[in-house]
Amino acid sequence: MAVVRPFRAFRPTKELAHKVAELPYDVMNSDEAREIADGNPYSFLHVDKAEIDLEPSVDIYDQRVYEKASENLNRMIETGVYLEDKKPYMYIYRIASNGKRQTGIVACTSIDDYINNVIKKHEKTRADKEEDRVNHVDYCDANTGPIFLTYRHNANINAVVTKWTQKSPEYDFTSPDGVQHTVWVINDLEDVDYLTNQFKSVDNLYIADGHHRAASAVRVGLKRRQQYPQYTGKEEFNFFLSVIFPDEDLRIMDYNRVVKDTNGLSVEELIEKICTKFNVISYQGEGAYRPEEKHTFGMYIEGKWHKLIAREGSYDDKDPVASLDVSILQDNLLSPILGIEDPRTSDRIDFIGGVRGLKELEKRAAADMKLAFSMYPTTISDLMAIADAGKIMPPKSTWFEPKPRSGIFVHKLK
């Protein structure tokens, strides 16, 4: 049973919503954030990456960054950029790009559901990144970016969403990257109660993206419980901001790899070694090779594409992690042949989200890298199977696109 409840959102005014909303903090560095927010005092990057309002020499984890984030958020509230809804509502948030759209419900989910694994995870968090968001949430006393959750199809929930999306939206704007963002406010409390009850029939929610934000929100909630030992469990700090999409709406894009060198092998030697685990076929088609099914890969080296097909016996198809294409490539090629033991720490490998296109792989292979691998995308069912098994996905397994924006909804913890 999943606990999903309404909340009194702080939301930007209709006139400013398109200027406030920004991509999540973790998809850009500080210099990129400065450039994006330049000339826009309403940009939510002044909250999510507040170091842009300090000297560049200030470390991004400095206490002054979190103090500035809190200051900027409170100023946006005090000056009327943000207004608070008078009652707890739920919201519908639709993201549309390139003919694909996903429509989810914005609400608050329970830190206890996270702790008790009703909200399932598939990724480990890094201590430094988690601590950063703990400080950010703590100083701002707010969840400033929604956790991206998913659930298995529920016809009753979808029916309510369909009903409300036929009404006039509260926001409807297109961001500079061409993604359309549309929001409806579910201000009928009967429908809010109905959705709350429907989610009680949902066995599990799954984190699609935002593991660090989720973990930090839970840690701050537990910290508040220690600060207020008489808590009832109904306080806002017991819940965190989420946008919850049905699984059939989500699209995972390929997450491709580029490698700096061949580990001392000639191209002929490399292919000979790869042939022990893969069938290698010279690609004769036009343009780059994009894998069309699981367990196939593209390899680009010295201006040519090759199709790799994993041989039977090179993976365990009964293991949800070992049978992932990212695992097959790592276990049979990147590690034993190219010597990349840990892709999370190696400086010989880089990762390129599918949104950048396969031409980016060719560009990198001709510039600072030597070879590239195109991947077949991980599926939502793969993600759920791994989370259900209590296992962890390899790093850089999923790239979700389009991404929910931060700043459209703020959930205050008091």
Side-chain angles (χ1 to χ4, degrees), residues 269-327:
E269 291 170 333
L270 175 66
I271 291 178
E272 182 179 352
K273 286 182 176 293
I274 292 173
C275 283
T276 63
K277 296 292 185 177
F278 301 84
N279 293 321
V280 181
I281 303 169
S282 179
Y283 179 60
Q284 303 300 323
E286 293 185 6
Y289 173 67
R290 183 181 298 279
E292 64 275 4
E293 60 182 341
K294 284 187 175 184
H295 309 337
T296 62
F297 310 81
M299 182 177 72
Y300 182 76
I301 186 167
E302 293 191 345
K304 295 181 180 179
W305 280 97
H306 304 267
K307 177 180 179 180
L308 312 183
I309 305 172
R311 293 180 182 273
E312 288 188 14
S314 63
Y315 58 91
D316 181 359
D317 57 8
K318 295 181 180 179
D319 185 321
V321 176
S323 61
L324 285 176
D325 282 357
V326 291
S327 297

Side-chain angles (χ1 to χ4, degrees), residues 384-395:
M384 289 180 163
I386 289 169
D388 285 338
K391 297 191 175 185
I392 300 298
M393 296 186 88

Side-chain angles (χ1 to χ4, degrees), residues 362-393:
E362 296 179 353
K363 177 181 175 183
R364 290 291 299 276
D368 60 323
M369 295 291 178
K370 177 68 174 177
L371 67 163
F373 297 94
S374 57
M375 309 289 295
Y376 187 77
T378 303
T379 67
I380 286 292
S381 59
D382 289 334
L383 183 153
M384 289 180 163
I386 289 169
D388 285 338
K391 297 191 175 185
I392 300 298
M393 296 186 88

Side-chain angles (χ1 to χ4, degrees), residues 15 33 135 139 154 171 213 220 222 334 337 345 370 383:
E15 297 75 19
N135 289 327
Y139 275 81
N154 181 294
Y171 305 134
R213 278 170 281 160
V220 173
L222 294 176
L334 296 180
I337 298 176
T345 59
K370 177 68 174 177
L383 183 153

Side-chain angles (χ1 to χ4, degrees), residues 11-18 81 83 169-171 173:
R11 299 185 289 109
T13 64
K14 285 186 178 183
E15 297 75 19
L16 294 177
H18 70 288
V81 175
L83 301 176
E170 180 77 3
Y171 305 134
F173 63 89

